[in-house]
Amino acid sequence: MQVLLSFPHALGAPGIGTTAWHQADSLSAAGHEVHVVAASVARPLAGAASVTTSLSAKGLRVPHKAVGRDRAFRWHDTVARSVLARTPVDVVHLWPLAPGLTAQAAREAGIAAVREAPNTHTRHAWRVVAAEIDALGYPAERTAHTHDAEHLAMEEAEWAAVTGVLAPSDAVADSFVDAGFEPHRVLRHRYGRRPSPRRAVARAAAARPLRAVYVGLGEPRKGLHHGLRAWLDSRAADEGTFTIVGRLLPAYAQMLQSQLAHPSVRVAGFADDVDAALAAADVLVLPTLEEGSALVTYEAQGMGCVPLVSTAAGAVIDDGVHGLLHRPGDVAALTQQFDRLAADRSELAELSSAALAHADELSWDRAGEHLARAYEAAIDLARSTHADAV
């Protein structure tokens, strides 16, 4: 299969840059011909058929803010469209954000185009985050999930032009269908986990205090406040530890000051070695309210760390087999899960062993297979749509 992957950010940079890099790498490793157009490249991609950068000069990255973010995205989209014009491909894979020029060109040529949805539908995300901030009485501050009409218009232009939207979790897929997308245009795939040099072991059934870890940015959207409340309401907090790995937004940290001061809670701050934090814990706590498919839930299983996560986290687990799920905001359910695993180390050991055994299914190579199948569905859909149009 011949693929054009357009990524208007730094490919290989932390966050979505790493996700897009692994997608391109896994597709190339599987024998697909991948042509990448990225704003810049933070990590070389040896297997790609071609790599074009839209925001770099003499090998150096040009920051989006240097030319203006909207202008940078438009320019990237123009470059990607020009690469498409001279490169025969079967499918175009677009990442946010771009005005839709490449998507429209693919549509006019009858080429399948898919648009990555790393989070739920934007209106859904805004609604969920705004409701939580209001409920908390949290001071207003601009984030990636603050209402922005121009941002939404740019996304809607792409969504309208592409063959389908790539949803990495059921939560994402449902949010697009609820927003009016035809179900056949919402294509499921998933993300993956990188191999770790750290040796992973299943947790022992021997009695010991429960060790919980939260990994990620501390903000209302991620639901850390629900996790802390559930922890402090549980008997696990009597002897166990709840470690927070990641940066806390200042106003959020101030709001949680009393909970963070509890003797069982440890604020570790940002850490480069996330695997070490997961290996040192029994359970990963992610009570997120809105998410795409959190990579840390994949990484946790690779370390034998049991996910205790909300259904909004996009975790690839079977509830009660590889981890335990709760509805977003259901503090009582999460409290019960803490109590349950603190009291029954044998169940914790079983969940940990199953999560570790499941980790091989969560590799980026397997994720690439899911992505290729989503491409094939998009190609079939584009062909039928194009045939109807002519």
Side-chain angles (χ1 to χ4, degrees), residues 202-208 341-350 352-353:
R203 304 304 178 262
R208 60 175 296 170
L341 296 186
D344 189 351
R345 290 288 303 194
S346 62
E347 182 182 11
L348 174 66
E350 290 174 4
S352 176
S353 294

Side-chain angles (χ1 to χ4, degrees), residues 7-51:
F7 187 74
H9 311 276
L11 187 73
I16 59 172
T18 297
T19 301
W21 187 94
H22 278 294
Q23 287 179 329
D25 181 64
S26 64
L27 289 167
S28 297
H32 301 292
E33 183 178 302
V34 182
H35 300 272
V36 174
V37 183
S40 58
V41 176
R43 179 180 178 183
L45 189 65
S50 68
V51 177

Side-chain angles (χ1 to χ4, degrees), residues 323-366:
L324 299 176
L325 298 174
H326 64 273
R327 295 188 310 276
D330 192 342
V331 173
L334 184 54
T335 301
Q336 289 179 335
Q337 291 172 0
F338 282 137
D339 283 336
R340 178 175 156 184
L341 296 186
D344 189 351
R345 290 288 303 194
S346 62
E347 182 182 11
L348 174 66
E350 290 174 4
L351 289 169
S352 176
S353 294
L356 196 55
H358 187 224
D360 286 346
E361 297 295 320
L362 305 178
S363 69
W364 275 110
D365 285 343
R366 292 295 181 88

